[in-house]
Amino acid sequence: MSPPSSPSSRVAPIAWLILILAMLCGAVWWWRIGRPVSLPDAPTARIACVSYAPFRKPGETPLDPHAFISPERIDADLKALSERFDCVRTYSQGFGLNAVPAIAQKYGMKVLMGIWLGRDKAFNEREVTNGIATAKAYPEVIRGVIVGNEVLLRGEQSPEALTGYIKQVRDALHDEHVPVTYADVWEFWLRYPQIADSVDYITIHILPYWEDEPVPPQDALQHVAAVYARMKARFAGRAVMIGETGWPSQGRPRRQASASLVNEARYLRDFLRYAGSVDMPYNVIEAFDQPWKRDQEGTVGGYWGIFDVNAKPKFGMQGPVTEEPNWIVGWYAGAAGAVLFLLTGFWRRELGNTSSRIALAIAGFATATSIAWQGRRMIFDCRNQLEWVFSGLLCALALLSAIYLARRIAARLAGASLHLPDRRLRFLWMFGLAFYDLLLVFDGRYRDFPLGLFWPSAVGFLIASLMETRTNCVVPMVEERFMSCVLPLLAAVVVAQEVGLNPSTWLWLGVNLATAGAVMIEWRRAVRLQAHQAQAAHQ
């Protein structure tokens, strides 16, 4: 019987290097998001107008036809908003929102009053009838009536039908001298310029994050200025208002357009300086974060608010902004992970020397900072208790898998000989990764990248494969070999979809390459061993 084989002098340093880099990446990432970022101050904390939707409590959604917000809730909201905003924009006459003009008048605010249009003709007629009645009752409060919001973008009405609704409202409010408009993304005004003939002024939406060619935050203001100038030139002599503009504080990046608290603060401060310099009518989206939008737009949909769901400001308009003030929690998690991993190997003889214990501590710190990152994402991503439970179970599985792998890696670094990690566990992670790859490729617009969940197992399986010797290897399962070929290709498609500009897609490609690489290494090693054995038998 041959003696236990220990890792070669060439492979062991590589394994140590990967472990140390993983630990440093976790520590630096948490430290980095805790650094205050200096931003130019806004000229004022007061904003001309803001989109107001009160659906911020659990379960509240305008998708529920029976939803209703009490006048008392609206009163409390507008009282608070009146301290920072001169005007609010609403989107519907339903859900109790037709009470907004009366309450806004109480606090000296104006209203851009919305009439929602969809596919249902009867619903549309009710909205129009109620909107006309409300505007007639409070003409001095109504800054404008917006008949339809992005209904052309959604394809729910034809330009001809939309024009009919606008004319109906405009004719009814002629004596009250209340201006009437329609709101849509700026490209749809260029696609259907005839709509301009039916409105008193043009209301465009400019959202650099959501553009077909997403605009990075550092270029967003220039983009807005260019689009606004283009629309003014195209509709010369007509008043043009920006009806929606803003930036999300959480969610997936789109190319170089990263959703973050710092970038939301940067954009709004820049925009307020620009709007003040050109004396431009505008409305910012939006007052409060809207959790219900995550059902339609993923995580990012719920985080466009200037205030969070508890009506607290998410950032100031002057001074530095910090992405994560509680960043030290990530380091605490790393320290706890190091202790946990050490304890799991305390009673194992092969993990009793200094080398193995250092490896366990490093692996524990790296794993815990990664899973803590995923836990932070869960705070923003999870919409209900089921998602919390499911995501929590996946994080627990990631932690247990990492402990299992770390013990084998530490033992191999200490010179012990152990069997390869359980193939079923690796297949499970590969299957989950392949499944999510397919979702990103074919339906990835609103999906986040669960990097913190997959990185620990990807790195662990890669190091474990590197540490095995030729005498302790077998050919991977055919399913693993197939997925090891497919995973990098799918991840490469995700990178290509974002034209290589999204850093998260490159990290995702790294996860896939590490996972596939573990199989490729064993596959190549087993094939070479079989060839060597066949040659020896032939001789």
Side-chain angles (χ1 to χ4, degrees), residues 284-329:
V284 170
I285 185 169
E286 56 197 329
F288 304 110
D289 283 343
Q290 299 288 295
W292 66 272
K293 287 187 178 181
R294 289 182 287 174
D295 293 335
Q296 296 180 318
E297 302 175 359
T299 300
V300 72
Y303 295 97
W304 289 76
I306 297 173
F307 300 93
D308 63 17
V309 293
N310 298 313
K312 295 181 179 179
K314 289 156 64 175
F315 51 84
M317 289 299 180
Q318 286 81 36
V321 177
T322 302
E323 187 69 32
E324 179 51 78
N326 298 317
W327 66 274
I328 195 66
V329 170

Side-chain angles (χ1 to χ4, degrees), residues 246-290:
W247 197 274
S249 62
Q250 299 295 334
R252 82 186 303 278
R254 298 189 69 232
R255 300 188 185 180
Q256 291 179 295
S258 177
S260 72
L261 189 70
V262 170
N263 283 338
E264 182 182 13
R266 175 186 286 113
Y267 178 79
L268 283 178
R269 291 186 186 187
D270 288 346
F271 178 79
L272 289 177
R273 289 199 310 276
Y274 164 70
S277 68
V278 297
D279 191 26
M280 172 185 65
Y282 69 88
N283 173 75
V284 170
I285 185 169
E286 56 197 329
F288 304 110
D289 283 343
Q290 299 288 295

